[in-house]
Amino acid sequence: MRAARYYGKEDVRIVDDVERPTCGEGQVRVEPAFVGICGTDLHEFMGGPNFSPTSPHPVTKESIPITIGHEFSGTIKELGKGLEKSGLKVGQKLAIQPTIYCASCGACENGAENACLNGGFVGLSGGGGGLSEEVVVPAEACLPLPDNVDLDIGALVEPLAVGWHAVDASPIADIKEPKCVVFGGGPIGLAVVQVLLARGAKLVICVEVAKKRQEFAKEFGAHHVIDPTKEDVVAKALELCGGQQPPDIAFDCAGVPQSIETACKVVKSRGAVVNVAIWEKSIPFNPNWLVFREASYKGVLGYQKKDFEGVIKALGEGKIKPAPMITSRIQMDRLVDDGYWALIKEKDKHVKILVDMRAGLSDAAKVVSSSAS
């Protein structure tokens, strides 16, 4: 079958000789419909392999080249044995939770399979991927979509689940009329903004430098947007909160030294800072930024099934309307040029580029690699 495969740094190819997977007991064969390209894909492309295994992965036993695509939706083509009472059925629309975990390490035993010591993701660590004609996944990875949620929106469930997990890990449920600051207006920051609004935040402030992303933040409902190059974020946030009590919670989705320091300083006494970003290198950090406020700092990673379920329920109820996140749709044979390079060279122009797996592929595009760029 045809699939997009990751071979290494700046080497992604579309090939047509990938063996079709076997659907075993407790597994589901899925026909991918839409696949999102995310920042992790770009990091792998430009500087990897990082997540992608160069030696056999402890769970999937695969190493590069691997089929890619971990943010995806699709429809069921086949059910493996033992799923007669699962509630799943052929033709059903799904969002796929791509989490791979071992179920035996300390993290998994603690119920934190998202932080599995041997973990990974379908489409990053082996086990197939969304950028293929078919993929076989465990039944537990299949989350049915409501009738009123289309498959393109289904491909946004994964990044929205990152935002849901971050908000769920915060003390938002314990605060009456919470006031929140989100640092970063990229895809994950915008997901957090939308989830906060769906979860009843009274005030949502987004801190973002890029003008286009400032516009996106406003479009997705942020009540105020602060440009940190033009205003004092701490002073302005306090003013927007009424001048007495600073924001309750800060979410750092930017992952730069300035954002973490400002996030710690912007919250109220006994407020909370939630780190959503993944850091590429060590940075200076002064614990007194938190100590002098008795503030807490919480790290979060990825998502769990409950987060997918929360997002899907909110989508079905119309509490989250993320369609404007989709800034471009491309065919798989244009993955590198119109997908990866577009996001790298014009990152402020896009939020989410989706690959439409049901669109036609040109016969000439059997191999696509960045060497042509």
Side-chain angles (χ1 to χ4, degrees):
M1 66 176 180
R2 179 166 280 186
R5 305 273 281 178
Y6 175 79
Y7 285 76
K9 181 180 178 182
E10 296 189 25
D11 189 1
V12 169
R13 310 176 196 175
I14 295 175
V15 299
D16 57 8
D17 60 353
V18 177
E19 185 177 349
R20 292 184 183 272
T22 301
C23 186
E25 185 173 354
Q27 294 182 317
V28 178
R29 186 186 304 276
V30 176
E31 180 182 53
F34 291 92
V35 186
I37 304 171
C38 88
T40 304
D41 297 316
L42 302 182
H43 285 302
E44 291 293 290
F45 182 71
M46 294 299 293
N50 299 309
F51 279 97
S52 301
T54 55
S55 58
H57 187 274
V59 178
T60 69
K61 311 304 181 186
E62 293 185 37
S63 58
I64 58 174
I66 56 169
T67 301
I68 52 179
H70 64 279
E71 297 182 0
F72 65 103
S73 63
T75 56
I76 296 176
K77 290 191 70 175
E78 179 187 353
L79 296 174
K81 291 182 179 179
L83 297 179
E84 294 81 7
K85 298 180 180 180
S86 65
L88 300 173
K89 56 186 179 182
V90 173
Q92 198 167 24
K93 297 184 299 181
L94 304 170
I96 303 299
Q97 182 189 347
T99 308
I100 292 171
Y101 61 97
C102 70
S104 60
C105 70
C108 289
E109 289 179 353
N110 289 338
E113 73 284 349
N114 55 312
C116 173
L117 302 180
N118 302 303
F121 298 88
V122 172
L124 276 174
S125 313
L131 287 165
S132 63
E133 293 178 27
E134 297 178 352
V135 60
V136 169
V137 297
E140 66 178 357
C142 299
L143 286 299
L145 296 172
D147 292 340
N148 63 334
V149 176
D150 293 332
L151 283 163
D152 54 352
I153 302 302
L156 301 177
V157 171
E158 196 267 6
L160 287 167
V162 175
W164 193 278
H165 186 73
V167 173
D168 212 40
S170 78
I172 189 170
D174 301 324
I175 302 170
K176 184 179 180 180
E177 298 184 336
K179 295 168 286 186
C180 305
V181 182
V182 178
F183 288 82
I188 298 303
L190 294 175
V192 172
V193 167
Q194 293 175 82
V195 172
L196 283 170
L197 294 169
R199 299 285 291 269
K202 179 183 180 182
L203 178 68
V204 177
I205 302 167
C206 183
V207 179
E208 173 57 54
V209 174
K211 184 172 178 57
K212 187 64 178 177
R213 290 187 170 188
Q214 292 172 4
E215 295 172 0
F216 282 131
K218 292 176 183 176
E219 183 177 0
F220 285 108
H223 300 106
H224 301 279
V225 176
I226 300 175
D227 183 342
T229 66
K230 296 180 179 179
E231 295 185 277
D232 182 315
V233 173
V234 174
K236 185 63 176 179
L238 177 61
E239 175 189 330
L240 293 172
C241 289
Q244 181 66 27
Q245 283 283 5
D248 301 293
I249 313 169
F251 295 85
D252 185 5
C253 305
V256 296
Q258 298 90 336
S259 67
I260 189 171
E261 179 176 356
T262 308
C264 291
K265 292 180 176 179
V266 79
V267 296
K268 69 179 185 181
S269 296
R270 298 184 178 174
V273 178
V274 179
N275 179 82
V276 192
I278 298 294
W279 297 80
E280 294 183 348
K281 58 185 178 181
S282 299
I283 61 166
F285 179 78
N286 186 344
N288 286 340
W289 299 337
L290 297 168
V291 171
F292 291 162
R293 292 169 176 75
E294 282 201 349
S296 63
Y297 187 85
K298 173 79 172 181
V300 296
L301 179 65
Y303 38 67
Q304 295 180 289
K305 188 171 185 177
K306 63 181 178 61
D307 304 308
F308 270 68
E309 292 170 341
V311 168
I312 290 171
K313 184 173 186 291
L315 288 170
E317 294 174 350
K319 293 180 179 179
I320 299 178
K321 298 179 180 179
M325 291 180 73
I326 304 169
T327 49
S328 181
R329 301 165 191 258
I330 63 173
Q331 297 181 10
M332 189 167 72
D333 62 341
R334 300 298 302 169
L335 174 65
V336 171
D337 289 340
D338 295 347
Y340 285 22
W341 284 118
L343 287 167
I344 291 164
K345 295 177 180 179
E346 302 176 304
K347 67 176 184 178
D348 294 336
K349 175 181 175 182
H350 291 287
V351 178
K352 187 61 62 177
I353 293 179
L354 294 188
V355 182
D356 184 349
M357 297 301 294
R358 297 177 175 183
L361 293 168
S362 65
D363 293 336
K366 298 229 176 167
V367 175
V368 177
S369 125
S370 66
S371 59
S373 298

